[in-house]
Amino acid sequence: EEADRLLEGSIMYEEATLIRTQVLSAFPLLASIIMPVIQPRVEANAEGLKRRLGFEEEMDTDFVCNFLLSTYLRGAFVILMTRSFDDSLGLGGEREEESRLVPVLDTLQHTTGDANVYHVYDSDNDCLEVFAARDLAEGDELVLTYHDDMSKEVFGSRFGFVPGEAKSVRILLEEKNAMLFPSVVV
């Protein structure tokens, strides 16, 4: 697979392999929960799905169910891995060791410098509050730090970019950049 070829020998390889292993190990459990919901719907809509998917012959509904389940679960894991926040500050400034999906907040840009906003999770009211870290001018882009102490290989594997680096992870991997391949002499 192309991803393995690009990652092999990089500091990201182990993290990417761990993520893949975790996702694949969760599939059987999640499939046992979700498949009973998907299977009847696929069977009830078999003819429409057959046309949309371009099947000429009899459609194998088990194959379609597994394909859809795999697609849905991969999408769900991508969302969880790339859009969750952890170590959020709780009320009183204590660190919380939970990850949360936070719609809208996850669209803010990451900064390696000083964030101009921060968030506080209020567990009593189950809400997240966002505060300005300094005075903001009209039109200022709101930026925050996704994860303060995440290594570049973990960050790159989860978010698809390395903080402070303009090049994409793909380009860094293709050119065997020393940042991701410290033992490779180019």
Side-chain angles (χ1 to χ4, degrees):
E1 181 173 307
E2 185 180 13
D4 284 331
R5 181 186 59 76
L6 288 171
L7 288 164
E8 192 166 356
S10 77
I11 60 173
M12 290 176 58
Y13 185 80
E14 188 175 325
E15 179 65 20
T17 302
L18 176 64
I19 290 169
R20 183 181 301 144
T21 301
Q22 290 171 335
V23 169
L24 291 175
S25 67
F27 270 32
L29 172 64
L30 293 172
S32 70
I33 296 167
I34 298 170
M35 190 62 85
V37 175
I38 294 175
Q39 187 89 33
R41 289 190 173 127
V42 167
E43 289 170 356
N45 298 300
E47 285 306 309
L49 282 170
K50 184 177 169 181
R51 280 192 303 280
R52 269 192 291 182
L53 297 174
F55 282 95
E56 300 279 328
E57 322 225 340
E58 193 59 33
M59 183 176 70
D60 180 351
T61 56
D62 286 339
F63 170 79
V64 173
C65 288
N66 285 317
F67 172 77
L68 291 173
L69 180 65
S70 174
T71 302
Y72 296 158
L73 290 177
R74 287 180 204 282
F77 275 105
V78 166
I79 290 167
L80 287 171
M81 297 294 293
T82 63
R83 300 216 173 258
S84 64
F85 291 83
D86 57 31
D87 290 333
S88 299
L89 287 174
L91 292 177
E94 74 278 1
R95 288 280 181 189
E96 306 243 341
E97 295 297 328
E98 296 179 11
S99 290
R100 293 177 181 79
L101 290 176
V102 186
V104 181
L105 187 65
D106 65 350
T107 63
L108 298 182
Q109 293 296 321
H110 170 77
T111 182
T112 56
D114 292 328
N116 59 15
V117 296
Y118 65 95
H119 59 284
V120 175
Y121 178 69
D122 178 351
S123 58
D124 292 335
N125 295 306
D126 193 27
C127 69
L128 192 93
E129 298 175 300
V130 178
F131 298 95
R134 60 174 171 77
D135 287 339
L136 299 170
E138 185 177 329
D140 280 354
E141 180 179 24
L142 303 180
V143 294
L144 54 84
T145 303
Y146 291 172
H147 297 273
D148 288 331
D149 52 1
M150 186 178 281
S151 67
K152 62 185 167 223
E153 61 268 19
V154 174
F155 205 101
S157 295
R158 283 188 62 179
F159 296 101
F161 70 94
V162 177
E165 176 57 54
K167 294 178 181 176
S168 72
V169 167
R170 182 181 187 92
I171 290 172
L172 294 171
L173 290 168
E174 285 174 346
E175 67 186 22
K176 302 244 184 259
N177 187 287
M179 179 190 321
L180 299 180
F181 294 87
S183 61
V184 174
V185 179
V186 182

PDB file of all heavy atoms in Angstrom, residues 37-49 59-62 64-65:
ATOM      1  N   VAL A  37     -28.239  -3.079  12.270  1.00  0.00           N
ATOM      2  CA  VAL A  37     -28.964  -1.888  11.812  1.00  0.00           C
ATOM      3  C   VAL A  37     -28.810  -1.725  10.297  1.00  0.00           C
ATOM      4  O   VAL A  37     -29.766  -1.408   9.595  1.00  0.00           O
ATOM      5  CB  VAL A  37     -28.444  -0.619  12.541  1.00  0.00           C
ATOM      6  CG1 VAL A  37     -29.088   0.637  11.987  1.00  0.00           C
ATOM      7  CG2 VAL A  37     -28.683  -0.751  14.038  1.00  0.00           C
ATOM      8  N   ILE A  38     -27.612  -1.953   9.787  1.00  0.00           N
ATOM      9  CA  ILE A  38     -27.332  -1.754   8.359  1.00  0.00           C
ATOM     10  C   ILE A  38     -27.950  -2.852   7.502  1.00  0.00           C
ATOM     11  O   ILE A  38     -28.544  -2.575   6.457  1.00  0.00           O
ATOM     12  CB  ILE A  38     -25.808  -1.696   8.114  1.00  0.00           C
ATOM     13  CG1 ILE A  38     -25.216  -0.451   8.766  1.00  0.00           C
ATOM     14  CG2 ILE A  38     -25.495  -1.690   6.626  1.00  0.00           C
ATOM     15  CD1 ILE A  38     -23.711  -0.375   8.666  1.00  0.00           C
ATOM     16  N   GLN A  39     -27.809  -4.113   7.921  1.00  0.00           N
ATOM     17  CA  GLN A  39     -28.235  -5.264   7.106  1.00  0.00           C
ATOM     18  C   GLN A  39     -29.682  -5.165   6.617  1.00  0.00           C
ATOM     19  O   GLN A  39     -29.925  -5.280   5.418  1.00  0.00           O
ATOM     20  CB  GLN A  39     -28.020  -6.568   7.891  1.00  0.00           C
ATOM     21  CG  GLN A  39     -28.273  -7.821   7.078  1.00  0.00           C
ATOM     22  CD  GLN A  39     -27.032  -8.286   6.363  1.00  0.00           C
ATOM     23  OE1 GLN A  39     -25.945  -8.116   6.853  1.00  0.00           O
ATOM     24  NE2 GLN A  39     -27.214  -8.874   5.196  1.00  0.00           N
ATOM     25  N   PRO A  40     -30.663  -4.926   7.490  1.00  0.00           N
ATOM     26  CA  PRO A  40     -32.049  -4.865   6.997  1.00  0.00           C
ATOM     27  C   PRO A  40     -32.278  -3.708   6.014  1.00  0.00           C
ATOM     28  O   PRO A  40     -33.054  -3.848   5.074  1.00  0.00           O
ATOM     29  CB  PRO A  40     -32.883  -4.655   8.266  1.00  0.00           C
ATOM     30  CG  PRO A  40     -32.001  -4.995   9.402  1.00  0.00           C
ATOM     31  CD  PRO A  40     -30.599  -4.831   8.944  1.00  0.00           C
ATOM     32  N   ARG A  41     -31.580  -2.612   6.233  1.00  0.00           N
ATOM     33  CA  ARG A  41     -31.747  -1.466   5.320  1.00  0.00           C
ATOM     34  C   ARG A  41     -31.173  -1.760   3.943  1.00  0.00           C
ATOM     35  O   ARG A  41     -31.740  -1.372   2.937  1.00  0.00           O
ATOM     36  CB  ARG A  41     -31.120  -0.223   5.937  1.00  0.00           C
ATOM     37  CG  ARG A  41     -31.926   0.270   7.113  1.00  0.00           C
ATOM     38  CD  ARG A  41     -31.460   1.612   7.582  1.00  0.00           C
ATOM     39  NE  ARG A  41     -32.374   2.104   8.594  1.00  0.00           N
ATOM     40  CZ  ARG A  41     -32.014   2.514   9.781  1.00  0.00           C
ATOM     41  NH1 ARG A  41     -30.749   2.530  10.112  1.00  0.00           N
ATOM     42  NH2 ARG A  41     -32.913   2.948  10.647  1.00  0.00           N
ATOM     43  N   VAL A  42     -30.013  -2.408   3.930  1.00  0.00           N
ATOM     44  CA  VAL A  42     -29.405  -2.769   2.640  1.00  0.00           C
ATOM     45  C   VAL A  42     -30.308  -3.756   1.909  1.00  0.00           C
ATOM     46  O   VAL A  42     -30.568  -3.602   0.716  1.00  0.00           O
ATOM     47  CB  VAL A  42     -27.988  -3.353   2.837  1.00  0.00           C
ATOM     48  CG1 VAL A  42     -27.476  -4.015   1.566  1.00  0.00           C
ATOM     49  CG2 VAL A  42     -27.028  -2.263   3.294  1.00  0.00           C
ATOM     50  N   GLU A  43     -30.802  -4.755   2.625  1.00  0.00           N
ATOM     51  CA  GLU A  43     -31.676  -5.745   1.993  1.00  0.00           C
ATOM     52  C   GLU A  43     -32.969  -5.114   1.495  1.00  0.00           C
ATOM     53  O   GLU A  43     -33.446  -5.423   0.405  1.00  0.00           O
ATOM     54  CB  GLU A  43     -31.962  -6.881   2.971  1.00  0.00           C
ATOM     55  CG  GLU A  43     -30.735  -7.745   3.198  1.00  0.00           C
ATOM     56  CD  GLU A  43     -30.882  -8.740   4.340  1.00  0.00           C
ATOM     57  OE1 GLU A  43     -31.922  -8.734   5.032  1.00  0.00           O
ATOM     58  OE2 GLU A  43     -29.929  -9.523   4.545  1.00  0.00           O
ATOM     59  N   ALA A  44     -33.527  -4.167   2.256  1.00  0.00           N
ATOM     60  CA  ALA A  44     -34.773  -3.506   1.853  1.00  0.00           C
ATOM     61  C   ALA A  44     -34.570  -2.598   0.642  1.00  0.00           C
ATOM     62  O   ALA A  44     -35.492  -2.375  -0.138  1.00  0.00           O
ATOM     63  CB  ALA A  44     -35.337  -2.695   3.022  1.00  0.00           C
ATOM     64  N   ASN A  45     -33.361  -2.082   0.477  1.00  0.00           N
ATOM     65  CA  ASN A  45     -33.078  -1.155  -0.625  1.00  0.00           C
ATOM     66  C   ASN A  45     -32.120  -1.761  -1.638  1.00  0.00           C
ATOM     67  O   ASN A  45     -31.419  -1.031  -2.342  1.00  0.00           O
ATOM     68  CB  ASN A  45     -32.479   0.147  -0.061  1.00  0.00           C
ATOM     69  CG  ASN A  45     -33.440   0.854   0.847  1.00  0.00           C
ATOM     70  OD1 ASN A  45     -34.517   1.225   0.427  1.00  0.00           O
ATOM     71  ND2 ASN A  45     -33.059   1.019   2.103  1.00  0.00           N
ATOM     72  N   ALA A  46     -32.096  -3.074  -1.730  1.00  0.00           N
ATOM     73  CA  ALA A  46     -31.123  -3.766  -2.575  1.00  0.00           C
ATOM     74  C   ALA A  46     -31.180  -3.326  -4.031  1.00  0.00           C
ATOM     75  O   ALA A  46     -30.148  -3.086  -4.650  1.00  0.00           O
ATOM     76  CB  ALA A  46     -31.310  -5.278  -2.464  1.00  0.00           C
ATOM     77  N   GLU A  47     -32.370  -3.209  -4.584  1.00  0.00           N
ATOM     78  CA  GLU A  47     -32.472  -2.848  -6.008  1.00  0.00           C
ATOM     79  C   GLU A  47     -31.937  -1.443  -6.273  1.00  0.00           C
ATOM     80  O   GLU A  47     -31.210  -1.222  -7.234  1.00  0.00           O
ATOM     81  CB  GLU A  47     -33.908  -2.994  -6.501  1.00  0.00           C
ATOM     82  CG  GLU A  47     -34.338  -4.434  -6.712  1.00  0.00           C
ATOM     83  CD  GLU A  47     -33.395  -5.200  -7.632  1.00  0.00           C
ATOM     84  OE1 GLU A  47     -33.079  -4.719  -8.742  1.00  0.00           O
ATOM     85  OE2 GLU A  47     -32.966  -6.300  -7.234  1.00  0.00           O
ATOM     86  N   GLY A  48     -32.288  -0.490  -5.430  1.00  0.00           N
ATOM     87  CA  GLY A  48     -31.780   0.877  -5.595  1.00  0.00           C
ATOM     88  C   GLY A  48     -30.276   0.944  -5.426  1.00  0.00           C
ATOM     89  O   GLY A  48     -29.583   1.624  -6.193  1.00  0.00           O
ATOM     90  N   LEU A  49     -29.750   0.245  -4.429  1.00  0.00           N
ATOM     91  CA  LEU A  49     -28.300   0.202  -4.215  1.00  0.00           C
ATOM     92  C   LEU A  49     -27.594  -0.463  -5.389  1.00  0.00           C
ATOM     93  O   LEU A  49     -26.536  -0.015  -5.818  1.00  0.00           O
ATOM     94  CB  LEU A  49     -27.977  -0.558  -2.931  1.00  0.00           C
ATOM     95  CG  LEU A  49     -28.186   0.190  -1.627  1.00  0.00           C
ATOM     96  CD1 LEU A  49     -28.052  -0.756  -0.441  1.00  0.00           C
ATOM     97  CD2 LEU A  49     -27.185   1.328  -1.496  1.00  0.00           C
ATOM     98  N   MET A  59     -26.666  -8.835  -6.411  1.00  0.00           N
ATOM     99  CA  MET A  59     -25.813  -8.138  -5.469  1.00  0.00           C
ATOM    100  C   MET A  59     -25.651  -8.983  -4.196  1.00  0.00           C
ATOM    101  O   MET A  59     -26.628  -9.488  -3.656  1.00  0.00           O
ATOM    102  CB  MET A  59     -26.440  -6.784  -5.115  1.00  0.00           C
ATOM    103  CG  MET A  59     -25.600  -5.947  -4.187  1.00  0.00           C
ATOM    104  SD  MET A  59     -26.316  -4.327  -3.908  1.00  0.00           S
ATOM    105  CE  MET A  59     -27.735  -4.735  -2.923  1.00  0.00           C
ATOM    106  N   ASP A  60     -24.420  -9.110  -3.746  1.00  0.00           N
ATOM    107  CA  ASP A  60     -24.125  -9.802  -2.493  1.00  0.00           C
ATOM    108  C   ASP A  60     -24.340  -8.800  -1.359  1.00  0.00           C
ATOM    109  O   ASP A  60     -23.502  -7.931  -1.122  1.00  0.00           O
ATOM    110  CB  ASP A  60     -22.686 -10.308  -2.520  1.00  0.00           C
ATOM    111  CG  ASP A  60     -22.288 -11.033  -1.256  1.00  0.00           C
ATOM    112  OD1 ASP A  60     -23.055 -11.021  -0.267  1.00  0.00           O
ATOM    113  OD2 ASP A  60     -21.181 -11.617  -1.253  1.00  0.00           O
ATOM    114  N   THR A  61     -25.489  -8.904  -0.679  1.00  0.00           N
ATOM    115  CA  THR A  61     -25.824  -7.915   0.358  1.00  0.00           C
ATOM    116  C   THR A  61     -24.841  -7.971   1.526  1.00  0.00           C
ATOM    117  O   THR A  61     -24.571  -6.939   2.139  1.00  0.00           O
ATOM    118  CB  THR A  61     -27.264  -8.081   0.872  1.00  0.00           C
ATOM    119  OG1 THR A  61     -27.452  -9.404   1.333  1.00  0.00           O
ATOM    120  CG2 THR A  61     -28.271  -7.732  -0.205  1.00  0.00           C
ATOM    121  N   ASP A  62     -24.277  -9.130   1.822  1.00  0.00           N
ATOM    122  CA  ASP A  62     -23.267  -9.198   2.889  1.00  0.00           C
ATOM    123  C   ASP A  62     -22.035  -8.378   2.508  1.00  0.00           C
ATOM    124  O   ASP A  62     -21.479  -7.649   3.333  1.00  0.00           O
ATOM    125  CB  ASP A  62     -22.851 -10.641   3.169  1.00  0.00           C
ATOM    126  CG  ASP A  62     -23.913 -11.418   3.929  1.00  0.00           C
ATOM    127  OD1 ASP A  62     -24.768 -10.776   4.588  1.00  0.00           O
ATOM    128  OD2 ASP A  62     -23.891 -12.659   3.866  1.00  0.00           O
ATOM    129  N   VAL A  64     -21.925  -5.823   0.410  1.00  0.00           N
ATOM    130  CA  VAL A  64     -22.291  -4.404   0.462  1.00  0.00           C
ATOM    131  C   VAL A  64     -22.356  -3.916   1.901  1.00  0.00           C
ATOM    132  O   VAL A  64     -21.851  -2.846   2.229  1.00  0.00           O
ATOM    133  CB  VAL A  64     -23.628  -4.144  -0.277  1.00  0.00           C
ATOM    134  CG1 VAL A  64     -24.091  -2.713  -0.076  1.00  0.00           C
ATOM    135  CG2 VAL A  64     -23.467  -4.448  -1.759  1.00  0.00           C
ATOM    136  N   CYS A  65     -22.943  -4.700   2.793  1.00  0.00           N
ATOM    137  CA  CYS A  65     -23.022  -4.320   4.208  1.00  0.00           C
ATOM    138  C   CYS A  65     -21.629  -4.149   4.807  1.00  0.00           C
ATOM    139  O   CYS A  65     -21.366  -3.169   5.511  1.00  0.00           O
ATOM    140  CB  CYS A  65     -23.795  -5.356   5.009  1.00  0.00           C
ATOM    141  SG  CYS A  65     -25.559  -5.324   4.683  1.00  0.00           S
TER     142      CYS A  65
END
